[in-house]
């Protein structure tokens, strides 16, 4: 059996998905969950890209001790120095440095000759080697690069100190057979290739990312990169849950092992989906709502006679519990505590009593509180900005009638502690509410996206709203949940605005730790 290392880039390539904007608390929660999921390496961000990314990478490097934490850097001294400052607190500081090697990228993007690209790659890996023990070097757009050029540059970069060589299919262009051939060629022609691990990094533009990753593995890659739910640039990256389950279900074809804990898939997927606001399509392999649903009579009949007729994966394998115990009005704090442990949360005693209060409030309005409801409440409490001065909603009212202009009245407290109240109209209830909030908030706000969904089923289901906006020119996203759609909308709006204050405070706190 060959062991495959799993390199997760949900917090870097995944966070590059359009509209995704995680804050430090959310990144830390995802990082902790990735540790439970059993990834070997996690790419926590791109430290030189922003102060927020830098601080988040550093916080993760300081917190996560059982997984190697890495950060991305372009092939420049400045990026490498910044990455070192963020990662030096890690238990095993690891750098991921990249430079494009395809003719298209070298000519049009880098405007460098192939020889200049080799010189830059070699000198930056040597430079990084003075600081980092582990260095992954990526030949960006490797799948569209000349193979003999790849062989030349890889040999030199290994001599300069790289420990992992990654051959990304940056634009999701390659096919399994072709990608496999690239790995085989590199393995057979780079003389010092035995000194490093080979890594695959696939994008899903043609829907082939997981198939390409499997082909790379069969041709010598011992590290596979990807993201949870396959999120990432454009069509996304290889979905790690799909890759891990494919290896498990087709052990007969794939004699490979990983450290992945498959029963953590559901929770990891839910957490990433909730924090990023990127819903998982119902038909998505492994974790889509319909992945285990059998609709046609013939299939239902077959599954009832023997599950294996139409079911190749059992829900339990990926952590989907079929008989969930729902809580209700009469459930006490013991049952509640047990349940939240089962759901994988460990809360401080303050947060625990806050969560219990929120649960009790919900049971006044909702007969059965499901795992999905609790997951929503608990993730909100786990990542709320409790110690930050922020805008807080006091009360609101929206008047709507088909013959009237919708009007909202809102009262809130500003970060300075001043109560403010006003009213505005809009073409619809949400617009009236948002116009009013905007009038009360001093910040410059542009709403760019609004998504409303329900948590679970039933007419009494919780409403969940995700918004994206710019606040004083900074892109942020926010989420809110409540039984009423307007309350959820107001909460999501304020959650997004308040992130600006939270992010500033998080940066300050991290700086104070230097
Ligand atoms: O897709 C890609 O080429 C990347 C590199 C930075 C590794 O994400
Ligand atoms: Zn990528």
């Amino acid at each position: 059996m060959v062991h495959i290392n799993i390199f997760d880039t949900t917090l870097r390539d995944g966070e590059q998905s359009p509209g995704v904007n995680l804050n430090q608390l959310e990144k830390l929660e995802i990082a902790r969950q990735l540790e439970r999921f059993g990834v070997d390496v996690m790419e926590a961000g791109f430290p030189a890209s922003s102060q927020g990314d830098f601080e988040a990478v550093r916080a993760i490097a300081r917190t996560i001790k059982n997984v190697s934490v890495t950060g991305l850097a372009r092939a420049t001294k400045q990026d490498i120095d910044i990455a070192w400052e963020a990662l030096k607190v890690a238990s095993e500081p690891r750098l991921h440095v990249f430079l494009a090697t395809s003719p298209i990228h070298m000519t049009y993007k880098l405007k460098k000759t192939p020889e200049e690209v080799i010189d830059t790659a070699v000198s930056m890996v040597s430079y990084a080697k003075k600081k980092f023990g582990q260095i992954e070097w990526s030949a960006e757009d490797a799948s569209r690069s000349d193979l003999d050029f790849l062989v030349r540059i890889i040999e030199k970069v290994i001599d300069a100190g790289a420990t992992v060589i990654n051959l990304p299919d940056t634009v999701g262009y390659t096919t399994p057979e072709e990608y496999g051939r690239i790995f085989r060629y590199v393995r057979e022609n780079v003389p010092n290739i035995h000194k490093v691990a080979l890594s695959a990094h696939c994008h899903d533009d043609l829907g082939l990312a997981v198939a390409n990753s499997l082909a790379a593995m069969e041709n010598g890659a011992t590290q596979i990169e990807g993201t949870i739910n396959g999120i990432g640039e454009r069509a996304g990256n290889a979905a790690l849950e799909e890759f891990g389950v494919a290896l498990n279900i087709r052990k007969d074809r794939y004699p490979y092992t990983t450290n992945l804990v498959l029963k953590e898939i559901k929770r990891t997927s839910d957490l990433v989906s909730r924090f990023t606001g990127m819903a998982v399509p119902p038909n998505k392999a492994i974790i889509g709502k319909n992945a285990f649903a059998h609709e046609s009579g013939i299939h239902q009949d077959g599954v009832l006679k023997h599950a294996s007729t139409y079911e190749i994966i059992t829900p339990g394998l990926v952590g989907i519990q079929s008989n969930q115990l729902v809580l209700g009005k009469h459930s006490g704090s013991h049952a509640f505590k047990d349940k939240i442990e089962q759901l994988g949360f460990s809360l401080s005693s303050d947060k625990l009593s806050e969560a219990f209060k929120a649960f009790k409030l919900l049971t006044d309005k909702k007969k059965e509180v499901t795992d999905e409801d609790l997951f929503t409440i608990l993730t909100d409490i786990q990542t709320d900005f409790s110690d930050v001065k922020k805008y807080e909603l006091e009360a609101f009212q929206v008047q709507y009638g088909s013959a009237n202009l919708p009007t909202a009245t809102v009262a809130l407290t500003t970060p300075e502690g001043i109560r403010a109240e006003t009213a505005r109209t809009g073409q619809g209830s949400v617009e009236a509410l948002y116009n009013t909030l905007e009038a009360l908030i001093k910040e410059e706000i542009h709403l760019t996206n609004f998504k409303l969904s329900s948590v679970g089923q039933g007419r009494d289901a919780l409403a969940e709203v995700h918004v994206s906006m710019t606040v004083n020119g900074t892109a942020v996203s926010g989420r809110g949940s409540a039984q009423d759609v307007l309350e959820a909308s107001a909460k999501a709006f304020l959650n997004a605005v308040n992130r600006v204050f939270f992010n500033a405070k998080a940066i300050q706190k991290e700086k104070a730790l230097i």
Side-chain angles (χ1 to χ4, degrees):
M1 295 284 245
V2 176
H3 187 76
I4 302 296
N5 277 335
I6 299 294
F7 177 118
D8 177 276
T9 181
T10 305
L11 296 172
R12 199 276 299 169
D13 226 340
E15 222 233 351
Q16 282 172 228
S17 307
V20 172
N21 222 307
L22 300 167
N23 70 22
Q24 203 188 96
L25 286 175
E26 292 161 338
K27 286 185 184 176
L28 269 167
E29 279 316 312
I30 291 176
R32 288 194 184 98
Q33 181 59 27
L34 289 171
E35 194 172 32
R36 294 166 61 143
F37 181 38
V39 305
D40 302 282
V41 182
M42 73 173 79
E43 187 162 50
F46 182 177
S49 68
S50 70
Q51 184 77 31
D53 236 41
F54 174 88
E55 305 301 351
V57 172
R58 209 156 62 118
I60 292 171
R62 214 187 24 246
T63 312
I64 300 293
K65 294 297 168 200
N66 297 318
V67 175
S68 180
V69 178
T70 190
L72 186 68
R74 288 163 294 199
T76 67
K77 283 188 178 170
Q78 195 189 352
D79 270 28
I80 295 167
D81 290 345
I82 294 174
W84 173 248
E85 287 309 312
L87 288 157
K88 64 184 180 192
V89 288
S91 46
E92 183 199 33
R94 177 183 289 260
L95 179 72
H96 179 191
V97 59
F98 72 100
L99 191 60
T101 50
S102 66
I104 302 176
H105 277 232
M106 290 191 292
T107 311
Y108 299 110
K109 187 181 81 174
L110 300 178
K111 299 191 192 322
K112 281 186 194 285
T113 64
E115 294 316 310
E116 285 169 335
V117 168
I118 293 181
D119 287 349
T120 308
V122 167
S123 66
M124 287 305 108
V125 170
S126 313
Y127 180 74
K129 197 66 185 176
K130 294 188 196 123
K131 302 171 192 280
F132 290 90
Q134 299 296 322
I135 298 175
E136 170 167 328
W137 180 76
S138 282
E140 192 191 13
D141 207 15
S143 55
R144 294 192 297 169
S145 302
D146 174 73
L147 282 183
D148 290 318
F149 179 63
L150 272 184
V151 165
R152 270 203 310 134
I153 192 167
I154 290 171
E155 181 184 356
K156 295 207 159 82
V157 162
I158 295 173
D159 281 342
T163 51
V164 178
I165 298 293
N166 184 33
L167 303 176
D169 180 27
T170 302
V171 292
Y173 177 76
T174 198
T175 64
E177 199 273 329
E178 181 185 60
Y179 198 46
R181 215 162 357 102
I182 296 174
F183 278 79
R184 205 173 333 131
Y185 193 84
V186 164
R187 224 161 34 95
E188 287 170 0
N189 290 283
V190 176
N192 51 2
I193 200 74
H194 59 280
K195 294 186 176 164
V196 296
L198 269 178
S199 177
H201 175 113
C202 298
H203 282 267
D204 209 29
D205 300 65
L206 295 176
L208 292 171
V210 173
N212 288 338
S213 306
L214 291 166
M217 174 187 77
E218 289 189 292
N219 286 280
T222 54
Q223 176 176 285
I224 298 297
E225 307 194 358
T227 60
I228 303 303
N229 300 344
I231 65 170
E233 282 275 354
R234 307 180 310 281
N237 291 57
L240 288 179
E241 68 281 359
E242 291 180 19
F243 180 81
V245 173
L247 289 197
N248 179 284
I249 297 296
R250 297 307 310 271
K251 294 182 191 77
D252 56 326
R253 289 261 329 131
Y254 300 124
Y256 301 88
T257 56
T258 68
N259 291 326
L260 291 180
V261 181
L262 298 185
K263 68 175 174 40
E264 290 295 336
I265 284 180
K266 168 82 172 115
R267 188 175 197 275
T268 318
S269 163
D270 285 350
L271 207 61
V272 169
S273 167
R274 175 127 223 280
F275 287 166
T276 57
M278 289 182 77
V280 173
N283 62 329
K284 166 91 174 59
I286 317 297
I287 31 107
K289 200 157 59 65
N290 296 348
F292 299 97
H294 304 280
E295 180 71 18
S296 88
I298 296 174
H299 287 208
Q300 286 174 351
D301 180 56
V303 169
L304 286 174
K305 286 178 175 145
H306 203 288
S308 67
T309 49
Y310 288 101
E311 215 170 78
I312 59 161
I313 309 161
T314 57
L317 178 77
V318 297
I320 299 173
Q321 286 172 357
S322 41
N323 46 2
Q324 298 180 359
L325 186 71
V326 289
L327 299 184
K329 210 175 180 51
H330 302 294
S331 308
S333 60
H334 275 304
F336 180 73
K337 224 173 139 204
D338 276 0
K339 186 61 154 181
I340 66 168
E341 274 165 23
Q342 237 180 59
L343 292 174
F345 289 89
S346 70
L347 300 180
S348 65
S349 59
D350 281 359
K351 296 244 171 194
L352 188 65
S353 47
E354 200 184 322
F356 189 61
K357 253 190 235 152
F359 159 69
K360 280 290 177 192
L361 273 178
L362 188 59
T363 58
D364 285 341
K365 299 178 191 160
K366 200 167 184 285
K367 197 161 166 274
E368 289 188 336
V369 177
T370 63
D371 286 4
E372 281 165 308
D373 295 329
L374 285 176
F375 189 80
T376 306
I377 298 177
L378 294 169
T379 44
D380 277 352
I381 287 177
Q382 204 176 34
T383 56
D384 70 357
F385 320 138
S386 37
D387 59 344
V388 175
K389 289 199 169 100
K390 55 186 184 264
Y391 289 99
E392 296 205 57
L393 188 64
E394 295 288 329
F396 76 94
Q397 186 183 342
V398 178
Q399 281 169 316
Y400 178 83
S402 55
N404 302 326
L405 198 56
T407 308
T409 310
V410 178
L412 52 71
T413 317
T414 67
E416 297 77 31
I418 298 163
R419 190 183 147 90
E421 193 176 320
T422 196
R424 290 287 186 278
T425 58
Q427 293 307 313
S429 304
V430 175
E431 197 195 355
L433 182 62
Y434 280 11
N435 286 346
T436 316
L437 285 166
E438 252 182 64
L440 289 170
I441 292 169
K442 276 189 298 196
E443 279 35 65
E444 171 87 23
I445 295 166
H446 290 288
L447 184 73
T448 50
N449 201 9
F450 173 90
K451 266 188 286 185
L452 169 66
S453 55
S454 81
V455 176
Q457 286 140 5
R459 58 207 297 170
D460 63 351
L462 284 179
E464 172 153 62
V465 171
H466 276 96
V467 293
S468 303
M469 57 173 72
T470 59
V471 179
N472 305 331
T474 303
V476 283
S477 45
R479 68 189 139 77
S481 60
Q483 255 205 332
D484 179 80
V485 292
L486 291 174
E487 189 177 334
S489 305
K491 281 183 171 173
F493 192 97
L494 289 176
N495 180 261
V497 174
N498 286 333
R499 276 170 195 247
V500 172
F501 304 106
F502 171 79
N503 291 346
K505 178 121 189 212
I507 288 173
Q508 249 178 33
K509 261 192 188 166
E510 273 297 322
K511 276 192 176 150
L513 288 172
I514 295 181

